Structure formats: C-alpha cells, structure tokens
Amino acid sequence: MSNDTEIFAKLSANLWMNEKFGEFASVNPRAAIVWIKAITFAANRKNDGFIGEYTARHLLGATPKDLRLLVENNFFEPRENGWIIHDYLDSQFSSKEINEMTKRRKEAARKAGLASAQARAEKKALESVATDVQRTVDKPLDDSLNENPTDVQRQSNDSSTENQPDIDIDIDSNLLITPPTPSKPDFDGLLDSLERIYPTNRFDGKTSQARMQLEIEWPKIVKAAGEADPFEFLEAKTRAYVGATEERFVKTFSRFIGWELYARNWEKPKPETPRARQVQPVKSRSQQNLEANMAKTWQYMTEEERARYSQGGFNA
C-alpha cells in the first residue's frame, strides 16, 4: 500500500514511442536517464522544474557532456546557477497547485470525519427510537388502549430529538460537482486539412503512431498557439514550413510534430541576385608564348640581372 504523503512525478505511458526522446536516448542513454531523474527530483522538491548545479552533478550524476547534450536538444534550459526542465509545468503540478491540493485534501478529510460522526449519531438515534417503539408494543393491551396515540408519537419524537447530536456541517458544494468532460478535438478533420498541404510522399499523419503522436503533443501545440485557434495555428505553421523547405528536405509529418518544428518561424528564402561575372580578356597565342618565355628566362637570371630588368630593362 502506497503512502498517502508520497509524491509522484507524471511520465506519459507513451514516452517509449516519442520519436524525439527515442532518438535522443538511443544515442545518449546516460543523458536521457539524467533527464528522467531530474523530473522526479523536481517533483519531490516541489521546485517547479529547477535543477541546481550541485544537484545536477552530485545528486543526479550528470557529467558536463550530459548537461551540454540536454541543453542542445531542448530538454534543459539554462538559468542562473542551474537549469529549468523544458516544459516541466505542462506535465507536472506547480508548487502552488500541490500546496492547494494538500489543503483541499485535509479539509475534505476533516469534513468526512464530521459526516461519519453524524452518521453514527443518526444510527444511534434510530436504534433508540426502535427500542422505545418496541417497549410500547410490549405493554399490556388495556394500558395501550388507554394511552393517547398522540402522546406515543410525541414520546417517540422527543426521544429522537434528545439523542440527535447538534453537529453543524458545512459541505463544500465545489467538492460535490463533477467537472465537465472536455470535448475531444476533431483530429480527423485536422489531419485531412494538413494532408492537402503536405507533400504526398512525406505525410504519415494517417498512421496510428503519428495520430497518437499528435494527441500527445496537442497540449504543447495549444500552448504555442497562445490566444490563436490551435487548428488554424498548426495549419499556418505547416503551410509555412512546407513552403519554406525544398520538397526533398521536408521532414515527415510525425517528425514535424515530434521535433516541435511548428514552434519555429518559417520564411521562404529570397532568391539571390546573380552577380555579373568578370570576363578576363583572351590573350593571343603570341602573348601567351612571350609570357612563358619571360617566365623561363626569369628563372635563370641572377639577382643583379633581375634588379636591372625591374628598373627598366637591360638597356637602362
């Protein structure tokens, strides 16, 4: 049985099929383990994803190479005296949320205790009433006929009132309301729109793995869209990416999502203005022969002859 005070970190059960993490872990398994350990450490310390330098090197066992790879591959973000786990608060509870949940649980336990006490008191009162009724039934018939039925009922009500504890329970109505189930996005319609934008041989969005990848990454896409409609945001980013990239270099749709390429700004490169080529004048055959002979003669000249030639020739 788990301890009620134990703290847990949330890791997606689909982490094993996340393409970005899978490729990174296959090449850098040590750094990938450091990243997972960092998430559990941050959840335990309730520090909103901050990893200090001492913690990284001595508690998590990270080497300088591990930390460099985690930063270069967007798993860590550098901060003063440490790092922040990328998108930590998208998947984990913040320290403020944890404190609020702890308070709510304590308050719910307190109210549950009061409700249990009330239930026990009501049960005891009912048992007392049943006993009084049984005693009335067991009286002789002539005595029962002489009694006023109203008095018997009043006696029963008085007995119930005397045994009823005076407990004032304030039930929080928010705890009794089931939150509405959010509507699921129309991923089928979105994928149909994106398929018309993407090159045919590079679109794998209709596969089950890519569809699941889109659902996993959807909270990040919504965050990147900000106040804009996430469907229109993703369509615009996909169109900009495909338009700015040569078709042979376009990544598959699953990699476009998994590598978070939708978070970048894509612009079609402007064509370079061709520069005018400088055409060297064509030398005549006799000029070429003359230059070749002079170069050969220069090799056999003495320093004195070269100096005289440079100053104006041998006749100077």
Side-chain angles (χ1 to χ4, degrees):
M1 181 180 296
S2 62
N3 186 355
D4 291 340
T5 61
E6 188 174 359
I7 299 175
F8 293 88
K10 295 191 296 181
L11 287 174
S12 172
N14 295 316
L15 181 63
W16 62 273
M17 64 181 297
N18 184 286
E19 189 169 356
K20 176 184 175 182
F21 176 78
E23 292 185 0
F24 178 77
S26 63
V27 180
N28 310 293
R30 180 187 176 91
I33 293 176
V34 169
W35 177 69
I36 294 176
K37 291 170 66 177
I39 293 176
T40 60
F41 174 86
N44 180 269
R45 297 302 175 89
K46 296 184 288 187
N47 61 8
D48 296 343
F50 178 77
I51 304 298
E53 295 181 357
Y54 179 89
T55 297
R57 293 185 169 88
H58 298 282
L59 300 183
L60 304 182
T63 64
K65 179 182 178 182
D66 296 334
L67 298 172
R68 177 178 56 81
L69 291 171
L70 289 170
V71 172
E72 291 177 352
N73 289 274
N74 206 26
F75 287 95
F76 275 8
E77 298 176 4
R79 292 291 186 275
E80 184 177 0
N81 299 324
W83 301 264
I84 284 287
I85 302 174
H86 179 67
D87 285 345
Y88 175 84
L89 294 180
D90 287 353
S91 303
Q92 312 297 329
F93 292 114
S94 66
S95 58
K96 181 179 179 181
E97 291 172 329
I98 293 175
N99 293 333
E100 290 177 351
M101 286 190 293
T102 302
K103 292 180 180 179
R104 288 199 298 269
R105 288 173 181 172
K106 290 181 178 179
E107 182 65 15
R110 184 186 70 82
K111 293 181 178 180
L114 293 176
S116 178
Q118 183 187 23
R120 290 194 300 270
E122 290 178 351
K123 180 179 180 182
K124 185 177 180 180
L126 291 174
E127 291 175 351
S128 177
V129 171
T131 301
D132 293 340
V133 172
Q134 184 64 37
R135 289 174 180 172
T136 303
V137 172
D138 292 340
K139 285 184 177 181
L141 182 59
D142 54 349
D143 294 340
S144 299
L145 294 175
N146 293 329
E147 288 186 3
N148 189 342
T150 304
D151 295 337
V152 175
Q153 179 65 29
R154 184 181 300 109
Q155 180 183 1
S156 175
N157 292 336
D158 293 342
S159 175
S160 175
T161 303
E162 291 174 358
N163 290 277
Q164 178 69 25
D166 185 12
I167 299 177
D168 184 15
I169 298 180
D170 181 16
I171 299 177
D172 188 354
S173 61
N174 292 329
L175 298 176
L176 304 179
I177 299 176
T178 303
T181 302
S183 59
K184 189 174 182 180
D186 182 16
F187 290 118
D188 291 333
L190 176 61
L191 289 172
D192 288 339
S193 299
L194 297 178
E195 186 177 14
R196 291 190 288 268
I197 300 173
Y198 232 80
T200 305
N201 61 335
R202 308 301 294 163
F203 187 77
D204 59 351
K206 295 299 183 68
T207 63
S208 58
Q209 182 174 351
R211 166 65 179 265
M212 187 173 296
Q213 183 72 28
L214 175 61
E215 294 184 10
I216 294 172
E217 297 292 332
W218 188 248
K220 294 183 179 180
I221 296 174
V222 173
K223 180 180 179 181
E227 298 181 357
D229 181 83
F231 281 74
E232 297 178 357
F233 168 80
L234 187 58
E235 288 183 5
K237 287 292 184 179
T238 303
R239 185 176 288 104
Y241 168 68
V242 173
T245 309
E246 291 187 31
E247 183 173 345
R248 56 177 178 159
F249 295 125
V250 172
K251 302 295 183 184
T252 59
F253 178 74
S254 58
R255 292 191 175 185
F256 175 76
I257 295 297
W259 292 4
E260 301 182 21
L261 299 181
Y262 55 80
R264 304 181 185 179
N265 293 324
W266 299 97
E267 295 183 359
K268 191 171 184 179
K270 298 180 180 179
E272 297 183 357
T273 304
R275 298 180 179 179
R277 297 178 58 186
Q278 296 181 355
V279 180
Q280 298 291 338
V282 180
K283 298 179 181 179
S284 63
R285 185 65 177 270
S286 60
Q287 181 67 23
Q288 294 177 11
N289 291 337
L290 177 61
E291 291 180 356
N293 292 335
M294 289 299 300
K296 199 70 174 177
T297 303
W298 185 267
Q299 295 179 1
Y300 297 102
M301 285 183 180
T302 64
E303 293 296 332
E304 181 181 357
E305 290 174 337
R306 290 179 180 178
R308 289 175 55 195
Y309 181 80
S310 300
Q311 293 175 359
F314 294 105
N315 298 324

